[in-house]
Amino acid sequence: MGLSSMLFTLAFLLSGAASLASQAYFNDVADLPCQFTNPQNISLGELVVFWQNQEMLVLYERYLGKDKLDNIDLKYLGRTSFDQDSWTLRLHNIQIKDKGSYQCFVHHKKPKGLVSIHQMTTDLSVLANFSQPEIVQLSNVTENSYINMTCSSVQGYPEPKKMYFLLKTENSTTGYDAIMQTSQDNVTELYNVSISLSISLPAVTSNMTIFCVLQTELMETQLFSSPFHIDPENQPLPDPPSPSTWFAIALVPLVIAPVIISQSLRKLKKKRKPGASYERETIKVEERKVSSMREE
Ligand SMILES: *[C@@H]1O[C@H](CO)[C@@H](O)[C@H](O)[C@H]1NC(C)=O
Ligand SMILES: *[C@@H]1O[C@H](CO)[C@@H](O)[C@H](O)[C@H]1NC(C)=O
Ligand SMILES: *[C@@H]1O[C@H](CO)[C@@H](O)[C@H](O)[C@H]1NC(C)=O
Ligand SMILES: *[C@@H]1O[C@H](CO)[C@@H](O)[C@H](O)[C@H]1NC(C)=O
Ligand SMILES: *[C@@H]1O[C@H](CO)[C@@H](O)[C@H](O)[C@H]1NC(C)=O
Ligand SMILES: *[C@@H]1O[C@H](CO)[C@@H](O)[C@H](O)[C@H]1NC(C)=O
Ligand SMILES: *[C@@H]1O[C@H](CO)[C@@H](O)[C@H](O)[C@H]1NC(C)=O
């Protein structure tokens, strides 16, 4: 478990005191290292070792070789384990509230009293991975080729940077920004985020895929939703009935009936065929085609 909590030795010196940075996942274990090398090989039986948080509340104390519970704050009872070999305190069941700085102290018990021989500060940050963003379709493609959808991702920390939709067609990728709605749980302090958008679909009849992307603050990671397919065959983008559409529909039976096919019609069919996906043509162009066909 301790492996998943990462540890960086930032080794920066702030007002003369060395400080470490540690990172842990929500509900996981945090490492709070003391980095005591014990150069004089002093026995634990002569040492007083303890960790405290920034409010001076004690997490753990090893007093002359024995665990001492008297000074430990209630919220840390039963949540710690001390690794003697690495001089690291493990704090279990990490919550967002646990982020902050911690100090480890090592004192040598001498006849005259306690002598401080080592001190280390660790700054702990806490993360929670957001769930994979999930797209929910709120409406079918409407008459105006609009589709309404929301995307949500839950139980993450810290607050992410942004969330957006990506619409991919055969040839293009378009990003759609939206205002991110954020809610934070009072108890866990985890965030839920969502966006809603009414997307105007481009006038293509090829398949389209929509992704939702969550950009988290840390390490610039991007979380992608599963692809959301819009298949125009099952969900036709209803072109407003215009002369051009009616012409295209009327042309099909003519082409299929072999007796009626004329050379010029064949040419015309070839022209139209590559448009398994075609952009809407203007009515004027279509009308000219009709008239030239009739002239032939
Ligand atoms: C440290 O002391 C212990 C006994 O107190 C001894 O067994 C051990 O070998 C010593 N280690 C070093 C590196 O001196
Ligand atoms: C969180 O996400 C990171 C990066 O994708 C991954 O390495 C890590 O294992 C995840 N942690 C948990 C607790 O899910
Ligand atoms: C979309 O249309 C289908 C069939 O017409 C219907 O079953 C489905 O509930 C609709 N979905 C939404 C989100 O309105
Ligand atoms: C889609 O969203 C827009 C803007 O919020 C709204 O005006 C419209 O009524 C919605 N359409 C459907 C079919 O839900
Ligand atoms: C994609 O590009 C190809 C070649 O440029 C073109 O023939 C096709 O019509 C385009 N498709 C869409 C959906 O725009
Ligand atoms: C966040 O989402 C989870 C899971 O869907 C839900 O249980 C929780 O109540 C939500 N919290 C907030 C603050 O919206
Ligand atoms: C669109 O996707 C469906 C399956 O989702 C597939 O059967 C169809 O061939 C695809 N059409 C194109 C033009 O890629």
Side-chain angles (χ1 to χ4, degrees):
M1 288 294 270
L3 285 176
S4 57
S5 51
M6 288 184 284
L7 190 72
F8 302 108
T9 49
L10 275 190
F12 63 85
L13 295 163
L14 250 174
S15 59
S19 166
L20 302 169
S22 182
Q23 220 174 48
Y25 284 108
F26 184 78
N27 275 341
D28 208 342
V29 183
D31 283 351
L32 305 175
C34 198
Q35 289 207 328
F36 180 53
T37 53
N38 197 1
Q40 296 168 51
N41 196 20
I42 306 167
S43 140
L44 262 176
E46 294 174 38
L47 295 175
V48 176
V49 187
F50 63 94
W51 272 260
Q52 68 184 28
N53 68 12
Q54 56 208 14
E55 290 144 359
M56 313 282 188
L57 299 175
V58 178
L59 286 78
Y60 173 82
E61 182 174 12
R62 174 67 67 100
Y63 187 85
L64 306 180
K66 285 180 185 153
D67 286 356
K68 191 176 172 191
L69 302 179
D70 313 18
N71 301 319
I72 295 174
D73 189 82
L74 274 178
K75 69 177 168 188
Y76 296 118
L77 269 181
R79 286 182 62 200
T80 54
S81 51
F82 174 53
D83 179 5
Q84 278 186 35
D85 299 326
S86 64
W87 286 82
T88 295
L89 187 72
R90 303 232 148 82
L91 182 59
H92 300 258
N93 189 24
I94 286 293
Q95 303 297 300
I96 304 298
K97 291 175 181 68
D98 289 323
K99 70 181 157 66
S101 85
Y102 295 86
Q103 275 187 299
C104 156
F105 297 90
V106 181
H107 289 97
H108 192 182
K109 173 114 171 133
K110 297 214 166 147
K112 288 177 206 159
L114 291 178
V115 179
S116 171
I117 55 172
H118 182 77
Q119 185 174 326
M120 177 57 68
T121 302
T122 301
D123 291 315
L124 177 68
S125 55
V126 179
L127 302 177
N129 285 345
F130 277 91
S131 64
Q132 186 185 25
E134 198 177 336
I135 294 177
V136 175
Q137 185 180 358
L138 294 179
S139 71
N140 282 318
V141 178
T142 64
E143 302 262 315
N144 307 317
S145 296
Y146 269 93
I147 182 168
N148 289 3
M149 43 182 48
T150 66
C151 173
S152 57
S153 175
V154 297
Q155 316 265 36
Y157 195 92
E159 198 175 349
K161 267 188 180 163
K162 68 172 194 170
M163 201 175 198
Y164 56 95
F165 286 109
L166 277 183
L167 175 75
K168 289 193 181 188
T169 64
E170 194 187 338
N171 296 337
S172 69
T173 301
T174 317
Y176 292 87
D177 282 329
I179 294 164
M180 189 168 68
Q181 305 292 322
T182 306
S183 62
Q184 188 177 24
D185 191 283
N186 291 334
V187 179
T188 64
E189 295 183 25
L190 298 176
Y191 288 102
N192 288 359
V193 292
S194 69
I195 49 173
S196 299
L197 203 64
S198 191
I199 295 182
S200 170
L201 298 174
V204 290
T205 52
S206 65
N207 284 348
M208 285 171 273
T209 309
I210 295 177
F211 291 91
C212 169
V213 187
L214 179 68
Q215 200 167 323
T216 60
E217 188 187 17
L218 283 129
M219 294 176 242
E220 296 282 326
T221 5
Q222 288 191 325
L223 280 179
F224 282 80
S225 67
S226 306
F228 186 92
H229 297 291
I230 297 177
D231 181 358
E233 291 195 5
N234 295 331
Q235 249 191 14
L237 303 177
D239 281 356
S242 67
S244 69
T245 331
W246 292 120
F247 173 74
I249 292 166
L251 184 64
V252 176
L254 287 176
V255 169
I256 287 167
V259 184
I260 308 170
I261 296 174
S262 70
Q263 296 282 353
S264 60
L265 264 176
R266 266 194 197 150
K267 262 187 213 157
L268 191 58
K269 192 206 166 196
K270 270 181 190 163
K271 265 188 208 160
R272 294 205 57 95
K273 212 178 182 178
S277 56
Y278 70 98
E279 306 218 16
R280 274 180 244 213
E281 293 163 76
T282 63
I283 295 164
K284 268 187 185 169
V285 171
E286 289 297 339
E287 278 170 350
R288 215 172 289 140
K289 272 184 193 164
V290 173
S291 54
S292 67
M293 189 183 82
R294 278 176 191 156
E295 275 160 22
E296 279 174 298

